[in-house]
Amino acid sequence: MSLTLLNVIVAVVIAIAFAAVNAAYLVWAERRGAARIQRRPGPNINGPFGLLQPPADGIKLMTKQLMIPGGADKILFMVAPVLAMVPAIMSFVTIPFSEGIVARNMDIGVLMIFAFASMGAMAILFAGWGSRNKYAVMASVRAVSQSVSYEIPMLITAITVIMVNGSMDLKAISLNQAGGFWHWNIFPSLQSPLMPISFIIFFICSLAETNRAPFDLGEAESELVAGFHTEYGSMGFGLFFMGEYANIVIGACLTTILFLGGWGCPFGLFPGVWWFLLKIYLLIATFIWIRWTFPRTTIYGLLNLSWKILIPISLFNLLLTAGLLKVF
Amino acid sequence: MSAPIQLRPDETFILNVGPQHPATHGVLRVKMQMDGEYIVKAETVLGYVHRMHEKMGENRTYAQYLPNLSRLDYLGALGYTHGHVLAIERAAGIEVPERAEYIRAITVELNRVASHLFWFGAFVMDLGGFSPLMYAIQDREHILDMLEAVTGARLTYCYYRFGGLYNDVDDDFIEAAKRFIPRMRKSLKKYDALVTGNIIFRKRLEGIAPVSAEMCRKYGATGPVARGSGINFDVRKNEPYSVYPEFDFDVPVYHECDSMARYKVRMDEMEQSLRIIEQGLEKLPDGPVMAEKKPKNIKLPVGDFYQAVETARGSFGIRIVSDGDKNAYRLKLRSPTYSNMHLFDEACEGMLIMDALAFMGSLDLVIPEMDR
Amino acid sequence: MILETTQQALQAIFAGPVPAADEGVAGGQRGNGVITPDYKTHGYHLDAQVSADQLLAAVNIVDEAGFFIESITGVDWIKENQLEVIYDFSRYDFDACRVVIRTRVPRDNPVVPTISTIYAGANWHERETHDFFGIKFAGHPHLVPLLLPEDADFHPLLKDFKA
């Protein structure tokens, strides 16, 4: 009993550490990547290749005074950044990095991750409402309508994958795809010929869910100043920032597990955690690449894309897969 | 794309965009009455960087006033000083050597390209795309280096003198300009591929923020804003000055009246400016760059003088009312963005805020030039 | 072409005989009327001085002829104890024609009718002129300081203004 408890605590600590280190160094990677794309050096002063920039930023953010604007709702204002960070870290607990490396495998892992992901919208709403700032309120309303409209196609696509694999257990889904890239869910099979499209939909939705360009309407810095975190400084802002990057990692992990075969090797050799990490960082690099290439969509363009294109297609795909599962 | 909406003026709130706001590119404030994301009514509040340049024009001699002109528009300053020296030369009857006029045209056009490049980057940044700004700044850097070498300044040039130039250009400048043209053409192609064809970019601009030609006329909009509304108006063609009649160039005009049209006009204008620079370098005559007969202290005859030039932002006019003294009795600066921005209030009614701010970006505002 | 028609239309405002062209432009007293200054030195084609009550008629003429508004400004003729308001108009087509309409009002009661009902763009220009000279534009919808601070009660471009 006590050993299991210890196990859980160690696992949670590792999850937090993984999330935090990832968040910090993804900021560095993003800044360096953006600099590459924009033909400038990026942070390169602190340490070799600027690798000490994230700790320096962290210290700066933590030592700054936490300002609460006058008239703000103090409780909501303080709760929101924490609420942005905690679900992201919690989601790591159930992600299987390889067959042996998983903190707590659950039968309903997919469901749990989606449940926690939904809480991100709450954090943004709290932040916007609690800040007592018109820009923040407008941004948070945008972000929530965006989250709601993109969770639907995302879930429908996930259900398609779950139906094909017959499990909501992330580990089982991964194992189901083992033994070479032709087994991966991303490639069409008899039961689900539209899987590549599902993958694209899922990827677009995870971009939108993380509130990043071209879907960064919740921040929209050239329109709404800084969106929902306009009034946040110091570590409040830092937590939102880290939460965003942790969410990116979660999105990449989930995409890898659901579509790209988890920790499986493309050629069936040496499956393990290295393949998993390689895949998620490739996905994250794509996230960064997209962010620094595309301009921002409009709010109606964004909602139209979800309700008029993504949801019908994913629903059709769901029905098709359900029918074909019965046939084959 | 968006269905017509019923604005409810009784359920609105006031949103202050500015004076410190990333979309206004300076200290400009727009008081917007909002119905959710829709603008019911907007009122622009100016004057945050008002410096009373016109009063300075009355207190300083014409030559002392020269540096003021380049403080109006920090992105395309040469066009404004060009207007001033042309006005004085016209009134005082000073003949300018041909070489000087050619160099003026070349440098003004280089400055115009630099200004449009910066606008291009900032505009795409308004729409949420960051990287093009860096590319544009890099190209603009070449121009600034070239201009720095001949004028001694990077932004606030004071290069032109009454009757000519402060100094002649050297071979390095001509070489650099010749090298720059093909490089810039390549960059323009790249911008086209990276930005113009992008589906998100097009969706955000096409059909958005229409400004009719009649509206332009009532507000006196000029420059790319008018040309994006199908008005073929360019002071360089309509009221030729300097050596512009010697050059073969087109005035890009688009009839769509939307933000995309204004964008395309500026992108095409860069190519036309390159053509002018190319021809100018080819035809550049030898000779002095300063008029020989030029009074030391310029005094204008009694009267009222007007000179319009086409700057990067539109038609800039300078009116000098002289009482025969060495100072102007009254000096009026007609700044193009002032008129261009004025139509924003009317045009943005019923627009989404993000479209309105993209529209504001497409007007190419330089606030110190507007506030003077 | 447009020059002649506009000139004739503007001259029709005046009942009396047309003043001789090319008197000394500005910088001194000059009767109301239309003159055609030398474009090469002055930079505009047509110069009409009207009285304040003829202003709207004159502006209507240029509006109907398709001119656009360039700017509105003032000049303080302190020696004659008058304020002058100058309206600049120009054309978008290749028939270059710059028209200047000017009117003079007494310095102690400077009131001219607003033309923002004809040219919406006159709104800011008139506010600016009001800022700088204290000229009142009768009928202007929102005559509050534009470039000066909102509580400004001084008019810096008046010649007797002391900072």
PDB file of all heavy atoms in Angstrom, chain A residues 37-39 134-135 142 221-223 292 294 296-298 300, chain B residues 14 16 21-23 37 126-127 131 135 138 198 204 352 355:
ATOM      1  N   ILE A  37      13.456  31.123 -38.318  1.00  0.00           N
ATOM      2  CA  ILE A  37      12.514  31.413 -39.400  1.00  0.00           C
ATOM      3  C   ILE A  37      12.651  32.872 -39.831  1.00  0.00           C
ATOM      4  O   ILE A  37      12.535  33.197 -40.999  1.00  0.00           O
ATOM      5  CB  ILE A  37      11.082  31.083 -38.931  1.00  0.00           C
ATOM      6  CG1 ILE A  37      10.921  29.565 -38.819  1.00  0.00           C
ATOM      7  CG2 ILE A  37      10.050  31.644 -39.884  1.00  0.00           C
ATOM      8  CD1 ILE A  37       9.650  29.128 -38.177  1.00  0.00           C
ATOM      9  N   GLN A  38      12.930  33.734 -38.873  1.00  0.00           N
ATOM     10  CA  GLN A  38      12.990  35.161 -39.186  1.00  0.00           C
ATOM     11  C   GLN A  38      14.409  35.661 -39.440  1.00  0.00           C
ATOM     12  O   GLN A  38      14.634  36.870 -39.469  1.00  0.00           O
ATOM     13  CB  GLN A  38      12.367  35.960 -38.042  1.00  0.00           C
ATOM     14  CG  GLN A  38      10.919  35.615 -37.846  1.00  0.00           C
ATOM     15  CD  GLN A  38      10.332  36.240 -36.623  1.00  0.00           C
ATOM     16  OE1 GLN A  38      11.057  36.762 -35.787  1.00  0.00           O
ATOM     17  NE2 GLN A  38       9.029  36.209 -36.510  1.00  0.00           N
ATOM     18  N   ARG A  39      15.342  34.763 -39.587  1.00  0.00           N
ATOM     19  CA  ARG A  39      16.718  35.123 -39.921  1.00  0.00           C
ATOM     20  C   ARG A  39      17.336  36.090 -38.915  1.00  0.00           C
ATOM     21  O   ARG A  39      17.835  37.152 -39.248  1.00  0.00           O
ATOM     22  CB  ARG A  39      16.783  35.733 -41.323  1.00  0.00           C
ATOM     23  CG  ARG A  39      16.372  34.757 -42.376  1.00  0.00           C
ATOM     24  CD  ARG A  39      16.680  35.255 -43.738  1.00  0.00           C
ATOM     25  NE  ARG A  39      15.845  36.390 -44.087  1.00  0.00           N
ATOM     26  CZ  ARG A  39      15.666  36.812 -45.345  1.00  0.00           C
ATOM     27  NH1 ARG A  39      16.269  36.212 -46.317  1.00  0.00           N
ATOM     28  NH2 ARG A  39      14.898  37.830 -45.606  1.00  0.00           N
ATOM     29  N   LYS A 134     -11.825  45.186 -20.306  1.00  0.00           N
ATOM     30  CA  LYS A 134     -12.719  44.894 -21.429  1.00  0.00           C
ATOM     31  C   LYS A 134     -12.042  44.006 -22.463  1.00  0.00           C
ATOM     32  O   LYS A 134     -12.658  43.107 -23.028  1.00  0.00           O
ATOM     33  CB  LYS A 134     -13.177  46.189 -22.083  1.00  0.00           C
ATOM     34  CG  LYS A 134     -14.204  46.914 -21.250  1.00  0.00           C
ATOM     35  CD  LYS A 134     -14.396  48.324 -21.768  1.00  0.00           C
ATOM     36  CE  LYS A 134     -15.241  49.123 -20.810  1.00  0.00           C
ATOM     37  NZ  LYS A 134     -15.102  50.563 -21.051  1.00  0.00           N
ATOM     38  N   TYR A 135     -10.763  44.266 -22.708  1.00  0.00           N
ATOM     39  CA  TYR A 135     -10.050  43.439 -23.675  1.00  0.00           C
ATOM     40  C   TYR A 135     -10.015  41.992 -23.201  1.00  0.00           C
ATOM     41  O   TYR A 135     -10.202  41.060 -23.977  1.00  0.00           O
ATOM     42  CB  TYR A 135      -8.610  43.940 -23.843  1.00  0.00           C
ATOM     43  CG  TYR A 135      -8.510  45.244 -24.570  1.00  0.00           C
ATOM     44  CD1 TYR A 135      -8.099  46.393 -23.924  1.00  0.00           C
ATOM     45  CD2 TYR A 135      -8.837  45.319 -25.913  1.00  0.00           C
ATOM     46  CE1 TYR A 135      -8.012  47.589 -24.600  1.00  0.00           C
ATOM     47  CE2 TYR A 135      -8.747  46.506 -26.594  1.00  0.00           C
ATOM     48  CZ  TYR A 135      -8.327  47.642 -25.940  1.00  0.00           C
ATOM     49  OH  TYR A 135      -8.234  48.817 -26.605  1.00  0.00           O
ATOM     50  N   ARG A 142     -14.094  35.006 -26.647  1.00  0.00           N
ATOM     51  CA  ARG A 142     -13.625  34.399 -27.897  1.00  0.00           C
ATOM     52  C   ARG A 142     -13.016  33.028 -27.642  1.00  0.00           C
ATOM     53  O   ARG A 142     -13.334  32.056 -28.321  1.00  0.00           O
ATOM     54  CB  ARG A 142     -12.524  35.255 -28.498  1.00  0.00           C
ATOM     55  CG  ARG A 142     -12.973  36.423 -29.292  1.00  0.00           C
ATOM     56  CD  ARG A 142     -11.733  37.063 -29.847  1.00  0.00           C
ATOM     57  NE  ARG A 142     -12.022  38.277 -30.573  1.00  0.00           N
ATOM     58  CZ  ARG A 142     -11.104  38.944 -31.251  1.00  0.00           C
ATOM     59  NH1 ARG A 142      -9.869  38.506 -31.259  1.00  0.00           N
ATOM     60  NH2 ARG A 142     -11.405  40.033 -31.895  1.00  0.00           N
ATOM     61  N   GLU A 221      -2.565  39.624 -29.897  1.00  0.00           N
ATOM     62  CA  GLU A 221      -1.896  40.781 -29.280  1.00  0.00           C
ATOM     63  C   GLU A 221      -2.000  42.060 -30.083  1.00  0.00           C
ATOM     64  O   GLU A 221      -1.885  43.128 -29.515  1.00  0.00           O
ATOM     65  CB  GLU A 221      -0.442  40.465 -28.917  1.00  0.00           C
ATOM     66  CG  GLU A 221       0.422  39.942 -30.033  1.00  0.00           C
ATOM     67  CD  GLU A 221       0.212  38.465 -30.237  1.00  0.00           C
ATOM     68  OE1 GLU A 221       0.774  37.688 -29.467  1.00  0.00           O
ATOM     69  OE2 GLU A 221      -0.527  38.092 -31.162  1.00  0.00           O
ATOM     70  N   SER A 222      -2.212  41.977 -31.412  1.00  0.00           N
ATOM     71  CA  SER A 222      -2.325  43.232 -32.129  1.00  0.00           C
ATOM     72  C   SER A 222      -3.735  43.813 -32.069  1.00  0.00           C
ATOM     73  O   SER A 222      -3.948  44.920 -32.485  1.00  0.00           O
ATOM     74  CB  SER A 222      -1.887  43.053 -33.576  1.00  0.00           C
ATOM     75  OG  SER A 222      -2.521  41.947 -34.132  1.00  0.00           O
ATOM     76  N   GLU A 223      -4.680  43.039 -31.552  1.00  0.00           N
ATOM     77  CA  GLU A 223      -6.038  43.580 -31.458  1.00  0.00           C
ATOM     78  C   GLU A 223      -6.443  43.795 -30.016  1.00  0.00           C
ATOM     79  O   GLU A 223      -6.924  44.856 -29.646  1.00  0.00           O
ATOM     80  CB  GLU A 223      -7.041  42.610 -32.086  1.00  0.00           C
ATOM     81  CG  GLU A 223      -6.888  42.469 -33.560  1.00  0.00           C
ATOM     82  CD  GLU A 223      -7.356  41.116 -34.027  1.00  0.00           C
ATOM     83  OE1 GLU A 223      -8.143  40.474 -33.309  1.00  0.00           O
ATOM     84  OE2 GLU A 223      -6.905  40.692 -35.096  1.00  0.00           O
ATOM     85  N   TRP A 292       4.704  30.624 -36.682  1.00  0.00           N
ATOM     86  CA  TRP A 292       5.489  31.750 -37.191  1.00  0.00           C
ATOM     87  C   TRP A 292       5.337  31.946 -38.682  1.00  0.00           C
ATOM     88  O   TRP A 292       6.045  32.730 -39.287  1.00  0.00           O
ATOM     89  CB  TRP A 292       6.952  31.568 -36.803  1.00  0.00           C
ATOM     90  CG  TRP A 292       7.085  31.621 -35.324  1.00  0.00           C
ATOM     91  CD1 TRP A 292       7.219  30.563 -34.487  1.00  0.00           C
ATOM     92  CD2 TRP A 292       7.012  32.780 -34.502  1.00  0.00           C
ATOM     93  NE1 TRP A 292       7.232  30.991 -33.189  1.00  0.00           N
ATOM     94  CE2 TRP A 292       7.111  32.347 -33.175  1.00  0.00           C
ATOM     95  CE3 TRP A 292       6.857  34.141 -34.760  1.00  0.00           C
ATOM     96  CZ2 TRP A 292       7.069  33.231 -32.095  1.00  0.00           C
ATOM     97  CZ3 TRP A 292       6.815  35.013 -33.694  1.00  0.00           C
ATOM     98  CH2 TRP A 292       6.919  34.558 -32.385  1.00  0.00           C
ATOM     99  N   PHE A 294       1.885  31.677 -40.310  1.00  0.00           N
ATOM    100  CA  PHE A 294       0.549  32.080 -40.737  1.00  0.00           C
ATOM    101  C   PHE A 294       0.044  33.287 -39.973  1.00  0.00           C
ATOM    102  O   PHE A 294       0.313  33.421 -38.780  1.00  0.00           O
ATOM    103  CB  PHE A 294      -0.437  30.928 -40.549  1.00  0.00           C
ATOM    104  CG  PHE A 294      -0.252  29.836 -41.544  1.00  0.00           C
ATOM    105  CD1 PHE A 294       0.294  28.631 -41.173  1.00  0.00           C
ATOM    106  CD2 PHE A 294      -0.599  30.039 -42.865  1.00  0.00           C
ATOM    107  CE1 PHE A 294       0.488  27.627 -42.101  1.00  0.00           C
ATOM    108  CE2 PHE A 294      -0.403  29.042 -43.798  1.00  0.00           C
ATOM    109  CZ  PHE A 294       0.133  27.838 -43.407  1.00  0.00           C
ATOM    110  N   ARG A 296      -3.262  35.447 -38.400  1.00  0.00           N
ATOM    111  CA  ARG A 296      -4.371  35.003 -37.542  1.00  0.00           C
ATOM    112  C   ARG A 296      -5.677  34.968 -38.335  1.00  0.00           C
ATOM    113  O   ARG A 296      -5.920  35.816 -39.184  1.00  0.00           O
ATOM    114  CB  ARG A 296      -4.503  35.995 -36.381  1.00  0.00           C
ATOM    115  CG  ARG A 296      -5.537  35.634 -35.367  1.00  0.00           C
ATOM    116  CD  ARG A 296      -5.598  36.701 -34.300  1.00  0.00           C
ATOM    117  NE  ARG A 296      -4.270  36.995 -33.808  1.00  0.00           N
ATOM    118  CZ  ARG A 296      -3.708  38.194 -33.863  1.00  0.00           C
ATOM    119  NH1 ARG A 296      -4.355  39.200 -34.362  1.00  0.00           N
ATOM    120  NH2 ARG A 296      -2.506  38.389 -33.400  1.00  0.00           N
ATOM    121  N   THR A 297      -6.506  33.970 -38.049  1.00  0.00           N
ATOM    122  CA  THR A 297      -7.825  33.933 -38.691  1.00  0.00           C
ATOM    123  C   THR A 297      -8.766  34.896 -37.986  1.00  0.00           C
ATOM    124  O   THR A 297      -8.462  35.424 -36.926  1.00  0.00           O
ATOM    125  CB  THR A 297      -8.441  32.533 -38.603  1.00  0.00           C
ATOM    126  OG1 THR A 297      -8.435  32.140 -37.243  1.00  0.00           O
ATOM    127  CG2 THR A 297      -7.686  31.551 -39.422  1.00  0.00           C
ATOM    128  N   THR A 298      -9.906  35.092 -38.584  1.00  0.00           N
ATOM    129  CA  THR A 298     -10.924  35.899 -37.898  1.00  0.00           C
ATOM    130  C   THR A 298     -11.782  34.984 -37.054  1.00  0.00           C
ATOM    131  O   THR A 298     -11.796  33.773 -37.253  1.00  0.00           O
ATOM    132  CB  THR A 298     -11.832  36.598 -38.912  1.00  0.00           C
ATOM    133  OG1 THR A 298     -12.207  35.644 -39.888  1.00  0.00           O
ATOM    134  CG2 THR A 298     -11.134  37.745 -39.559  1.00  0.00           C
ATOM    135  N   TYR A 300     -15.066  34.712 -37.047  1.00  0.00           N
ATOM    136  CA  TYR A 300     -16.107  33.992 -37.790  1.00  0.00           C
ATOM    137  C   TYR A 300     -15.499  32.953 -38.718  1.00  0.00           C
ATOM    138  O   TYR A 300     -16.070  31.889 -38.916  1.00  0.00           O
ATOM    139  CB  TYR A 300     -17.054  34.943 -38.527  1.00  0.00           C
ATOM    140  CG  TYR A 300     -16.400  36.018 -39.338  1.00  0.00           C
ATOM    141  CD1 TYR A 300     -15.875  35.744 -40.588  1.00  0.00           C
ATOM    142  CD2 TYR A 300     -16.323  37.325 -38.865  1.00  0.00           C
ATOM    143  CE1 TYR A 300     -15.276  36.713 -41.337  1.00  0.00           C
ATOM    144  CE2 TYR A 300     -15.722  38.312 -39.613  1.00  0.00           C
ATOM    145  CZ  TYR A 300     -15.204  38.007 -40.857  1.00  0.00           C
ATOM    146  OH  TYR A 300     -14.611  38.977 -41.595  1.00  0.00           O
TER     147      TYR A 300
ATOM    148  N   ILE B  14     -18.136  51.098 -24.057  1.00  0.00           N
ATOM    149  CA  ILE B  14     -17.134  51.929 -24.717  1.00  0.00           C
ATOM    150  C   ILE B  14     -15.778  51.242 -24.575  1.00  0.00           C
ATOM    151  O   ILE B  14     -15.384  50.846 -23.482  1.00  0.00           O
ATOM    152  CB  ILE B  14     -17.069  53.312 -24.065  1.00  0.00           C
ATOM    153  CG1 ILE B  14     -18.415  54.020 -24.195  1.00  0.00           C
ATOM    154  CG2 ILE B  14     -15.962  54.142 -24.695  1.00  0.00           C
ATOM    155  CD1 ILE B  14     -18.752  54.487 -25.572  1.00  0.00           C
ATOM    156  N   ASN B  16     -11.771  51.797 -25.321  1.00  0.00           N
ATOM    157  CA  ASN B  16     -10.745  52.752 -25.689  1.00  0.00           C
ATOM    158  C   ASN B  16      -9.605  52.013 -26.359  1.00  0.00           C
ATOM    159  O   ASN B  16      -8.848  51.318 -25.693  1.00  0.00           O
ATOM    160  CB  ASN B  16     -10.215  53.450 -24.439  1.00  0.00           C
ATOM    161  CG  ASN B  16     -10.877  54.775 -24.242  1.00  0.00           C
ATOM    162  OD1 ASN B  16     -10.889  55.600 -25.147  1.00  0.00           O
ATOM    163  ND2 ASN B  16     -11.441  54.977 -23.078  1.00  0.00           N
ATOM    164  N   HIS B  21      -1.773  51.267 -27.701  1.00  0.00           N
ATOM    165  CA  HIS B  21      -2.359  50.009 -28.157  1.00  0.00           C
ATOM    166  C   HIS B  21      -1.525  49.508 -29.323  1.00  0.00           C
ATOM    167  O   HIS B  21      -1.133  50.294 -30.177  1.00  0.00           O
ATOM    168  CB  HIS B  21      -3.806  50.243 -28.594  1.00  0.00           C
ATOM    169  CG  HIS B  21      -4.543  48.987 -28.934  1.00  0.00           C
ATOM    170  ND1 HIS B  21      -4.406  48.393 -30.158  1.00  0.00           N
ATOM    171  CD2 HIS B  21      -5.386  48.224 -28.226  1.00  0.00           C
ATOM    172  CE1 HIS B  21      -5.152  47.293 -30.175  1.00  0.00           C
ATOM    173  NE2 HIS B  21      -5.758  47.176 -29.019  1.00  0.00           N
ATOM    174  N   PRO B  22      -1.241  48.212 -29.359  1.00  0.00           N
ATOM    175  CA  PRO B  22      -0.343  47.721 -30.407  1.00  0.00           C
ATOM    176  C   PRO B  22      -0.836  47.974 -31.827  1.00  0.00           C
ATOM    177  O   PRO B  22      -0.034  48.054 -32.738  1.00  0.00           O
ATOM    178  CB  PRO B  22      -0.248  46.221 -30.115  1.00  0.00           C
ATOM    179  CG  PRO B  22      -1.193  45.930 -29.026  1.00  0.00           C
ATOM    180  CD  PRO B  22      -1.591  47.191 -28.386  1.00  0.00           C
ATOM    181  N   ALA B  23      -2.142  48.089 -32.029  1.00  0.00           N
ATOM    182  CA  ALA B  23      -2.630  48.214 -33.408  1.00  0.00           C
ATOM    183  C   ALA B  23      -2.518  49.636 -33.927  1.00  0.00           C
ATOM    184  O   ALA B  23      -2.599  49.853 -35.126  1.00  0.00           O
ATOM    185  CB  ALA B  23      -4.075  47.757 -33.499  1.00  0.00           C
ATOM    186  N   GLU B  37     -18.466  42.245 -30.341  1.00  0.00           N
ATOM    187  CA  GLU B  37     -17.277  42.437 -31.167  1.00  0.00           C
ATOM    188  C   GLU B  37     -17.528  43.441 -32.278  1.00  0.00           C
ATOM    189  O   GLU B  37     -16.630  43.736 -33.057  1.00  0.00           O
ATOM    190  CB  GLU B  37     -16.853  41.099 -31.776  1.00  0.00           C
ATOM    191  CG  GLU B  37     -16.422  40.084 -30.757  1.00  0.00           C
ATOM    192  CD  GLU B  37     -14.956  39.725 -30.918  1.00  0.00           C
ATOM    193  OE1 GLU B  37     -14.405  39.934 -31.989  1.00  0.00           O
ATOM    194  OE2 GLU B  37     -14.376  39.245 -29.935  1.00  0.00           O
ATOM    195  N   ASP B 126      -0.082  43.142 -37.852  1.00  0.00           N
ATOM    196  CA  ASP B 126      -1.426  43.462 -37.366  1.00  0.00           C
ATOM    197  C   ASP B 126      -2.360  42.282 -37.541  1.00  0.00           C
ATOM    198  O   ASP B 126      -3.275  42.085 -36.748  1.00  0.00           O
ATOM    199  CB  ASP B 126      -2.009  44.629 -38.161  1.00  0.00           C
ATOM    200  CG  ASP B 126      -1.530  45.958 -37.653  1.00  0.00           C
ATOM    201  OD1 ASP B 126      -0.958  45.967 -36.559  1.00  0.00           O
ATOM    202  OD2 ASP B 126      -1.735  46.969 -38.340  1.00  0.00           O
ATOM    203  N   LEU B 127      -2.127  41.522 -38.582  1.00  0.00           N
ATOM    204  CA  LEU B 127      -2.986  40.375 -38.847  1.00  0.00           C
ATOM    205  C   LEU B 127      -2.490  39.130 -38.145  1.00  0.00           C
ATOM    206  O   LEU B 127      -3.023  38.058 -38.330  1.00  0.00           O
ATOM    207  CB  LEU B 127      -3.042  40.114 -40.350  1.00  0.00           C
ATOM    208  CG  LEU B 127      -3.558  41.272 -41.191  1.00  0.00           C
ATOM    209  CD1 LEU B 127      -3.440  40.943 -42.653  1.00  0.00           C
ATOM    210  CD2 LEU B 127      -4.991  41.580 -40.857  1.00  0.00           C
ATOM    211  N   SER B 131       6.590  36.855 -38.995  1.00  0.00           N
ATOM    212  CA  SER B 131       7.857  36.718 -39.709  1.00  0.00           C
ATOM    213  C   SER B 131       8.064  37.718 -40.844  1.00  0.00           C
ATOM    214  O   SER B 131       9.174  38.213 -41.014  1.00  0.00           O
ATOM    215  CB  SER B 131       7.997  35.289 -40.217  1.00  0.00           C
ATOM    216  OG  SER B 131       7.899  34.414 -39.125  1.00  0.00           O
ATOM    217  N   TYR B 135      11.596  39.969 -42.395  1.00  0.00           N
ATOM    218  CA  TYR B 135      12.116  39.960 -43.764  1.00  0.00           C
ATOM    219  C   TYR B 135      12.112  41.372 -44.333  1.00  0.00           C
ATOM    220  O   TYR B 135      13.067  41.805 -44.979  1.00  0.00           O
ATOM    221  CB  TYR B 135      11.267  39.048 -44.663  1.00  0.00           C
ATOM    222  CG  TYR B 135      11.266  37.597 -44.261  1.00  0.00           C
ATOM    223  CD1 TYR B 135      10.186  36.790 -44.517  1.00  0.00           C
ATOM    224  CD2 TYR B 135      12.370  37.043 -43.633  1.00  0.00           C
ATOM    225  CE1 TYR B 135      10.180  35.458 -44.152  1.00  0.00           C
ATOM    226  CE2 TYR B 135      12.375  35.719 -43.274  1.00  0.00           C
ATOM    227  CZ  TYR B 135      11.281  34.931 -43.533  1.00  0.00           C
ATOM    228  OH  TYR B 135      11.282  33.620 -43.175  1.00  0.00           O
ATOM    229  N   GLN B 138      14.749  43.579 -42.995  1.00  0.00           N
ATOM    230  CA  GLN B 138      16.067  43.267 -43.525  1.00  0.00           C
ATOM    231  C   GLN B 138      16.291  43.936 -44.884  1.00  0.00           C
ATOM    232  O   GLN B 138      17.357  44.501 -45.142  1.00  0.00           O
ATOM    233  CB  GLN B 138      16.206  41.762 -43.657  1.00  0.00           C
ATOM    234  CG  GLN B 138      17.623  41.296 -43.493  1.00  0.00           C
ATOM    235  CD  GLN B 138      17.670  39.818 -43.271  1.00  0.00           C
ATOM    236  OE1 GLN B 138      16.861  39.083 -43.831  1.00  0.00           O
ATOM    237  NE2 GLN B 138      18.597  39.372 -42.469  1.00  0.00           N
ATOM    238  N   ASN B 198      -1.638  33.578 -49.356  1.00  0.00           N
ATOM    239  CA  ASN B 198      -2.079  32.835 -48.174  1.00  0.00           C
ATOM    240  C   ASN B 198      -3.586  32.948 -47.992  1.00  0.00           C
ATOM    241  O   ASN B 198      -4.157  34.035 -48.010  1.00  0.00           O
ATOM    242  CB  ASN B 198      -1.355  33.419 -46.954  1.00  0.00           C
ATOM    243  CG  ASN B 198      -1.624  32.639 -45.697  1.00  0.00           C
ATOM    244  OD1 ASN B 198      -2.783  32.405 -45.351  1.00  0.00           O
ATOM    245  ND2 ASN B 198      -0.598  32.231 -45.015  1.00  0.00           N
ATOM    246  N   ARG B 204      -9.005  37.446 -44.758  1.00  0.00           N
ATOM    247  CA  ARG B 204      -9.126  38.557 -43.813  1.00  0.00           C
ATOM    248  C   ARG B 204      -9.200  39.899 -44.520  1.00  0.00           C
ATOM    249  O   ARG B 204      -9.564  40.892 -43.902  1.00  0.00           O
ATOM    250  CB  ARG B 204      -7.933  38.555 -42.861  1.00  0.00           C
ATOM    251  CG  ARG B 204      -8.046  37.428 -41.878  1.00  0.00           C
ATOM    252  CD  ARG B 204      -7.534  37.803 -40.540  1.00  0.00           C
ATOM    253  NE  ARG B 204      -8.041  39.075 -40.089  1.00  0.00           N
ATOM    254  CZ  ARG B 204      -7.594  39.687 -39.020  1.00  0.00           C
ATOM    255  NH1 ARG B 204      -6.650  39.150 -38.325  1.00  0.00           N
ATOM    256  NH2 ARG B 204      -8.084  40.835 -38.644  1.00  0.00           N
ATOM    257  N   LEU B 352     -16.481  44.312 -37.511  1.00  0.00           N
ATOM    258  CA  LEU B 352     -15.876  43.595 -36.390  1.00  0.00           C
ATOM    259  C   LEU B 352     -14.601  44.315 -35.969  1.00  0.00           C
ATOM    260  O   LEU B 352     -13.905  44.879 -36.812  1.00  0.00           O
ATOM    261  CB  LEU B 352     -15.509  42.176 -36.808  1.00  0.00           C
ATOM    262  CG  LEU B 352     -16.602  41.134 -36.801  1.00  0.00           C
ATOM    263  CD1 LEU B 352     -16.093  39.886 -37.478  1.00  0.00           C
ATOM    264  CD2 LEU B 352     -17.019  40.811 -35.388  1.00  0.00           C
ATOM    265  N   ASP B 355     -11.535  43.287 -37.914  1.00  0.00           N
ATOM    266  CA  ASP B 355     -11.509  43.819 -39.278  1.00  0.00           C
ATOM    267  C   ASP B 355     -11.180  45.305 -39.262  1.00  0.00           C
ATOM    268  O   ASP B 355     -10.453  45.802 -40.118  1.00  0.00           O
ATOM    269  CB  ASP B 355     -12.866  43.607 -39.949  1.00  0.00           C
ATOM    270  CG  ASP B 355     -13.100  42.164 -40.304  1.00  0.00           C
ATOM    271  OD1 ASP B 355     -12.109  41.425 -40.379  1.00  0.00           O
ATOM    272  OD2 ASP B 355     -14.257  41.777 -40.498  1.00  0.00           O
TER     273      ASP B 355
END
